[in-house]
Amino acid sequence: RSAPEQGLGHSGSGSTLLGYIGIDTIIEQMRKKTMKAGFDFNIMIVGHSGLGKSTLVNTLFKSQVSRWSSGWGGEHKIPKTVEIKAVSHVIEEGGVKMKLTVIDTPGFGDQINNENCWDPISKYINEQYEKFLKEEVNIARKKRIPDTRVHCCLYFISPTGHSLRQLDIEFMKHLSRVVNIIPVIAKSDTMTPDEKNEFKHRVRKELETHGIEYYPQNEFDDDMEDKNENDKIREAMPFAVVGSDKEFQVNGKRVLGRKTAWGVVEVENPNHCEFALLRDFLIRSHLQDLKEVTHNIHYETYRARRLNDNGELSFQNTSYVSLSSAHRPKPPTLTSQLHLGLTFDPAI
Ligand code: GDP
Ligand code: MG
């Protein structure tokens, strides 16, 4: 491994007092390391059935994101989602590799009794934390732990124009403590621009009234610059998106869009909807921060709870519930419950 060449080269024989030390090469060293290691980035998509969640997963991969990658294409009808399913793509650009995984979930809240209907989702999220924790405390620790933790959870809100449903509120309240929640308004092509703006305003107010902390959370703004930038984003949220995996010819260009009574709504046109805004927010401006908040806040909370439970870690069971006390009756089905209805893409 070569020493920081610039630093040594500059002063002839190592560093001299008051000479050039080469601290500014740290950034380049970090860049090289990071590029070699690559990134994992995991987005989860949640909401009621029929809001266009699976379509948006396809849209993400078919839009700019996947034009970078290969192997995604062809027309196919989206089947009803019946299990939690992760789709991964390795995307490479400018020598940087990113494994983007989108975790699609079945519509929840479709039952008559919706009590605790977010359980499978929070279990999935916690299970990824548990996996990571296990790797971290392993004696033979991997040099780089594969990261399957959910870095953000897009929560789809129905474009009713009225208000949030009780279930939306309950879900976001519960889950905002374990994961970065980003609320989005689904199928926004079904609203006029005025309706859309009014609805966005109303949803923001309701979220505030109920004390729901969505991402980017006020309390984690690092400094004034951060705060100003995030304030602008918070004022524009929730992003009103449109999904489609169909292409149309517009002004001689093929674009992803939806045909409506007043023409083709172009998914990636920022004048038509906020899909591109959302995508750039997730990938271009806040990807690293989403990962950091996940690791430093949500995972840390999980880890602290696990370690505190009995003053020691115990991996007799994959559950995050405290289990190390021999006197306590063992919850016998917990492990199997965790896997109920969940399938894991072996490729993750
Ligand atoms: P999911 O149950 O949330 O996964 O919803 P799907 O992606 O399966 O979509 C349900 C239906 O809504 C399909 O007929 C889609 O073509 C349609 N759809 C998806 N996204 C949009 C959208 O942005 N606008 C409109 N108008 N329809 C959409
Ligand atoms: Mg679906």
Side-chain angles (χ1 to χ4, degrees):
R1 198 163 297 266
S2 60
E5 292 151 27
Q6 282 166 288
L8 291 176
H10 203 271
S11 56
S13 58
S15 61
T16 54
L17 266 183
L18 303 175
Y20 173 75
I21 299 170
I23 296 171
D24 55 358
T25 65
I26 293 173
I27 304 291
E28 179 57 20
Q29 296 172 43
M30 284 164 74
R31 197 183 69 87
K32 272 193 184 157
K33 287 258 182 204
T34 314
M35 266 175 70
K36 278 189 192 146
F39 288 91
D40 289 320
F41 188 54
N42 310 315
I43 306 173
M44 184 182 229
I45 303 205
V46 179
H48 209 261
S49 263
L51 286 181
K53 295 184 297 299
S54 302
T55 307
L56 200 89
V57 174
N58 279 10
T59 315
L60 260 172
F61 282 121
K62 273 208 154 187
S63 76
Q64 215 66 49
V65 170
S66 73
R67 281 182 214 137
W68 300 328
S69 78
S70 56
W72 189 268
E75 295 286 320
H76 53 95
K77 201 169 172 334
I78 295 168
K80 192 176 159 79
T81 321
V82 292
E83 61 200 2
I84 295 182
K85 199 170 176 224
V87 187
S88 297
H89 275 286
V90 175
I91 296 162
E92 201 171 338
E93 193 184 41
V96 180
K97 259 194 231 137
M98 176 173 80
K99 180 156 153 199
L100 176 65
T101 300
V102 183
I103 304 134
D104 195 6
T105 62
F108 85 101
D110 302 351
Q111 270 78 43
I112 293 171
N113 180 4
N114 286 315
E115 209 180 313
N116 297 338
C117 56
W118 51 79
D119 272 1
I121 289 162
S122 64
K123 266 183 192 153
Y124 181 91
I125 293 169
N126 281 319
E127 230 189 15
Q128 312 316 309
Y129 292 148
E130 183 69 19
K131 258 197 211 169
F132 198 87
L133 181 61
K134 263 188 184 170
E135 292 287 354
E136 268 193 342
V137 299
N138 230 337
I139 291 175
R141 197 157 63 165
K142 285 186 185 130
K143 199 174 163 206
R144 184 170 165 269
I145 301 172
D147 191 2
T148 61
R149 295 171 299 179
V150 178
H151 299 119
C152 72
C153 171
L154 299 184
Y155 186 82
F156 275 51
I157 296 165
S158 179
T160 58
H162 308 301
S163 56
L164 291 174
R165 297 174 312 162
Q166 194 56 36
L167 202 57
D168 298 333
I169 293 163
E170 292 289 328
F171 178 91
M172 286 190 268
K173 254 196 181 157
H174 271 85
L175 274 288
S176 61
R177 293 186 207 121
V178 294
V179 72
N180 290 319
I181 297 275
I182 298 178
V184 302
I185 294 170
K187 295 185 170 183
S188 70
D189 55 314
T190 60
M191 306 174 106
T192 67
D194 283 347
E195 284 171 343
K196 193 164 73 185
N197 285 334
E198 200 188 315
F199 189 47
K200 282 176 67 154
H201 183 73
R202 189 167 315 160
V203 170
R204 268 202 307 276
K205 271 214 150 136
E206 275 186 86
L207 290 169
E208 195 187 331
T209 309
H210 289 97
I212 294 165
E213 297 266 349
Y214 52 94
Y215 181 86
Q217 302 90 338
N218 275 305
E219 54 182 314
F220 306 143
D221 290 342
D222 284 333
D223 49 29
M224 274 321 269
E225 186 194 350
D226 226 29
K227 185 184 178 312
N228 290 339
E229 191 192 331
N230 285 343
D231 274 347
K232 271 191 219 131
I233 288 160
R234 287 187 281 259
E235 276 158 32
M237 283 171 88
F239 298 121
V241 299
V242 174
S244 171
D245 55 2
K246 296 218 166 45
E247 293 191 347
F248 291 88
Q249 197 83 25
V250 175
N251 300 328
K253 271 200 334 211
R254 290 196 76 73
V255 297
L256 284 172
R258 298 195 80 87
K259 211 172 193 129
T260 69
W262 49 86
V264 173
V265 175
E266 297 166 37
V267 166
E268 292 179 82
N269 183 337
N271 297 321
H272 291 191
C273 81
E274 296 167 335
F275 170 79
L277 217 69
L278 172 70
R279 187 192 54 204
D280 290 352
F281 166 60
L282 292 177
I283 293 170
R284 290 195 191 166
S285 63
H286 283 68
L287 185 146
Q288 188 55 29
D289 189 63
L290 279 160
K291 293 187 65 156
E292 281 175 20
V293 174
T294 301
H295 183 76
N296 296 333
I297 310 290
H298 299 304
Y299 172 66
E300 197 54 30
T301 308
Y302 177 87
R303 190 180 147 277
R305 191 182 60 206
R306 272 290 269 128
L307 293 168
N308 267 332
D309 265 352
N310 283 299
E312 60 173 305
L313 266 181
S314 160
F315 289 117
Q316 294 158 15
N317 202 302
T318 54
S319 162
Y320 56 93
V321 184
S322 118
L323 295 171
S324 62
S325 165
H327 311 294
R328 219 172 287 177
K330 242 186 175 171
T333 55
L334 220 46
T335 314
S336 48
Q337 271 173 13
L338 281 171
H339 295 283
L340 261 190
L342 310 182
T343 51
F344 297 99
D345 188 332
I348 319 174

